[in-house]
Amino acid sequence: MIAAVITATFVLFYVLPGDAARVALGPSASEAAVAELRRSMGLDASVATRAWRYAAGLLRGDLGHSLISGRGVAALLAERFSVTAKVAALGSVFSLAGSYALVLAAHVFGWRLPARWAQAGTLLPSFAVSLGVALALLVVAPGLRFGGSGALESVAIPAFVASLSATAMLTTVLLGVCDAIASADFVRSLRAQGFGRLAVFHGGVLRAASPSWLTAWANQVSIVLVGTLVVEIAFSIPGAGALLLSAVEQRDFPVVGGIVVVNAVFFTVLWTVVTGVLRQIDPRVVSGE
Amino acid sequence: MSRVRTPLLAFAPIPVGLLLLLLGHARDPLALHLAQSISSPSGAMPLGTDPLGRDVLARLLVASGAALIGLYLSLGVSTIIGVTGGSLMGWTAGSWFDKLGLFVIDTVFVIPTLLVLLALFTSLEPSTLRTYLALGVVGAAGPARVTRNELARLRQSPVAIAQRALGFSTARLLLVSLLPLSASAAVRSMTTYVPELLGYEVGLGFFGLGTPPPTPSLGRMLYDGLNQIHVAWWLWLGPAVTAILIGVLLRSVLLAVSAGDRKAA
């Protein structure tokens, strides 16, 4: 999967743009300047040579250089993603914890209203939810511009906003599975043996539902990440969101390409780990079934 | 074979979207009134004006009409690609084609799709048609997986075995008997992904890579609203509410289609 995405990125950013140098410098740049940039980008070499250079660079951890600032993409990403990764990781944990709490309330204690709201929340685009809640917070509390101070609330509040959609989706999935197996034989026999409601939930229902929960979570991490990028822009946090926004506006191909490659690698690794864990929980799980 | 009856609501997005576009263009979404930059809602400008003094109501009408029609057509593209690809995968379940398809679908689900779309339109020149075409292709992953699983199951079903024993051709079995049985599930699966597709549309616009300016798009209006958030609430409130309404409308349309299918089947 990683190889496929890297190949696609190479084609997209290094082969497809008719003339990346011309696009980067704009239509008013002189022909000499374009030729100069083309040479420094290595665009005058053949496709095969460039593919080889690109692949060799990736293996050394070299993602190329920004067309705008000239800085190494790898260093740039490391700097910006260190902020973003914290928020997104905390957001992913929030979504797990939040869905657990909501399902516990709904399934065990019969307090279903919050879970209903979460189910309704899955009707909304996650992008719009993150952005909308961030906007609403900014209106209510105009001082919420964190500027990457690193303080606890500057990580926790954005993480909470970015996690909302994922929490809603995970709650819907988990509650659906829990309710479906609530009348299964093994659950009823656990009850009959005198186990309390909490014990049955944790020892039986939640364990049986955990493969679906974990699969949904792995799919939602990318939603949390995109939410984080948006929330960062809204709260003026100098993370990967701001980097992406400026790179896209300035057509800084190496930076956008670097962001895509790094994310492809990360999410492929995450997916591989989750699939492995799923096999441990339930050996019957085979991908695609 | 019972006739598949599609409820009228299924076609609603086209006339509704056209009406919105018409109303919006009647008010002129592009006219600049630099003297009235960022003025609050008034009788002449019910939703106020943006920093360039353009009519926010007109821009909102045009953006939402375009989004509604565009996303509806994207869903059509998703259905065609998803059902065709998914049924071929399901029919040949276990083959290299099936495995390749499942791999592609997994990739779409696991990797942040919005990032990939952003990357695509950083490289290619963004255009309205390309935006909705790309959304249609990405949105095909959901129905493709459902159709694939349904057909892989139906292939072994008593219906299929009986019809094969009766000597029906593979094409007839596939097209007339099995596909209609899996269509409703495929359409229903899309109701889950409609909000995400809308989110990608808004996201592309937000990052400036959707419909190119000066034509208004919901995402770009939200981005502009964010930049003026402490100055002008009317710049972001309208697009935010409209985005939600479009999501709800498209979802009800899909639910109506899949309900109609189920009744007929």
Side-chain angles (χ1 to χ4, degrees):
Chain A
M1 195 187 274
I2 296 175
V5 173
I6 288 176
T7 311
T9 312
F10 177 76
V11 172
L12 199 57
F13 289 110
Y14 297 87
V15 182
L16 266 190
D19 192 346
R22 169 58 74 188
V23 177
L25 289 178
S28 57
S30 72
E31 198 52 49
V34 174
E36 173 57 33
L37 181 62
R38 212 176 282 148
R39 196 160 43 247
S40 71
M41 284 168 82
L43 285 180
D44 44 359
S46 72
V47 171
T49 319
R50 281 155 54 202
W52 169 250
R53 275 189 205 152
Y54 183 68
L58 282 184
L59 285 179
R60 290 196 308 269
D62 178 6
L63 292 165
H65 292 267
S66 162
L67 294 182
I68 308 299
S69 66
R71 291 188 54 197
V73 173
L76 207 55
L77 290 188
E79 179 189 310
R80 298 305 192 92
F81 268 98
S82 65
V83 180
T84 305
K86 263 187 235 158
V87 178
L90 190 62
S92 310
V93 174
F94 278 166
S95 67
L96 269 185
S99 59
Y100 165 77
L102 289 179
V103 171
L104 187 71
H107 185 80
V108 181
F109 299 109
W111 191 41
R112 288 190 163 259
L113 194 65
R116 289 260 162 74
W117 277 93
Q119 283 168 333
T122 60
L123 300 185
L124 306 175
S126 59
F127 186 91
V129 171
S130 309
L131 186 57
V133 174
L135 286 172
L137 276 180
L138 278 174
V139 170
V140 178
L144 277 181
R145 301 261 166 171
F146 298 115
S149 65
L152 181 65
E153 76 269 15
S154 78
V155 177
I157 295 176
F160 177 72
V161 176
S163 73
L164 288 174
S165 277
T167 308
M169 188 54 87
L170 290 181
T171 304
T172 307
V173 170
L174 183 60
L175 187 61
V177 181
C178 286
D179 284 349
I181 56 180
S183 55
D185 287 343
F186 80 93
V187 177
R188 285 193 301 181
S189 67
L190 279 174
R191 284 247 173 76
Q193 287 169 41
F195 286 105
R197 282 194 296 183
L198 274 175
V200 171
F201 179 69
H202 289 115
V205 176
L206 194 63
R207 261 179 82 179
S210 58
S212 312
W213 193 26
L214 202 57
T215 312
W217 178 77
N219 284 340
Q220 292 296 313
V221 174
S222 66
I223 303 280
V224 175
L225 178 81
V226 172
T228 304
L229 299 178
V230 176
V231 172
E232 280 180 344
I233 294 171
F235 288 148
S236 313
I237 299 170
L243 179 69
L244 180 67
L245 187 65
S246 64
V248 161
E249 274 172 356
Q250 297 164 331
R251 299 282 186 276
D252 197 345
F253 299 115
V255 173
V256 181
I259 292 176
V260 173
V261 168
V262 166
N263 278 287
V265 172
F266 171 74
F267 281 100
T268 312
V269 171
L270 178 76
W271 184 240
T272 316
V273 171
V274 167
T275 320
V277 172
L278 283 178
R279 289 228 174 84
Q280 293 297 314
I281 299 176
D282 184 349
R284 289 170 303 173
V285 174
V286 186
S287 115
E289 293 295 312
Chain B
M1 202 73 228
S2 57
R3 199 162 57 92
V4 176
R5 222 177 301 159
T6 314
L8 218 54
L9 182 60
F11 300 103
I14 295 290
V16 173
L18 284 176
L19 186 68
L20 291 173
L21 279 178
L22 212 65
L23 287 174
H25 279 295
R27 294 187 59 91
D28 197 348
L30 301 180
L32 305 174
H33 309 281
L34 289 172
Q36 313 174 27
S37 162
I38 318 196
S39 53
S40 56
S42 63
M45 301 283 187
L47 286 180
T49 61
D50 70 1
L52 295 176
R54 293 175 298 195
D55 182 1
V56 173
L57 177 63
R59 298 181 66 72
L60 190 59
L61 285 170
V62 170
S64 50
L68 198 55
I69 295 177
L71 284 169
Y72 185 70
L73 297 179
S74 297
L75 289 175
V77 172
S78 297
T79 314
I80 294 169
I81 299 179
V83 169
T84 313
S87 54
L88 286 176
M89 283 163 62
W91 190 253
T92 59
S95 69
W96 65 267
F97 180 77
D98 181 39
K99 283 184 183 138
L100 180 73
L102 285 174
F103 167 79
V104 172
I105 292 171
D106 271 345
T107 310
V108 171
F109 277 118
V110 173
I111 288 178
T113 315
L114 183 61
L115 274 186
V116 177
L117 287 174
L118 286 174
L120 183 72
F121 287 113
T122 310
S123 176
L124 300 175
E125 214 40 52
S127 80
T128 310
L129 179 69
R130 281 180 179 171
T131 301
Y132 293 111
L133 210 57
L135 291 181
V137 173
V138 167
R145 178 184 274 178
V146 172
T147 311
R148 183 254 170 208
N149 288 344
E150 281 284 298
L151 263 185
R153 185 176 63 82
L154 286 171
R155 193 166 66 132
Q156 323 280 351
S157 67
V159 183
I161 294 168
Q163 295 211 356
R164 238 184 260 141
L166 285 169
F168 289 167
S169 72
T170 305
R172 186 188 183 285
L173 176 63
L174 198 59
L175 293 177
V176 181
S177 304
L178 301 188
L179 269 188
L181 282 175
S182 60
S184 150
V187 174
R188 217 161 356 157
S189 83
M190 284 188 351
T191 58
T192 323
Y193 304 115
V194 157
E196 283 314 305
L197 278 193
L198 175 62
Y200 298 149
E201 202 261 2
V202 174
L204 279 173
F206 185 84
F207 282 96
L209 293 178
T211 300
T215 312
S217 71
L218 288 175
R220 205 57 191 173
M221 291 180 77
L222 277 170
Y223 179 75
D224 293 340
L226 177 65
N227 287 334
Q228 308 287 343
I229 184 156
H230 298 308
V231 185
W233 54 267
W234 58 90
L235 286 179
W236 58 269
L237 190 64
V241 172
T242 313
I244 292 170
L245 288 180
I246 291 177
V248 171
L249 178 61
L250 284 174
R251 206 179 143 102
S252 340
V253 166
L254 287 174
L255 283 176
V257 174
S258 73
D261 269 8
R262 241 175 317 171
K263 251 180 257 161

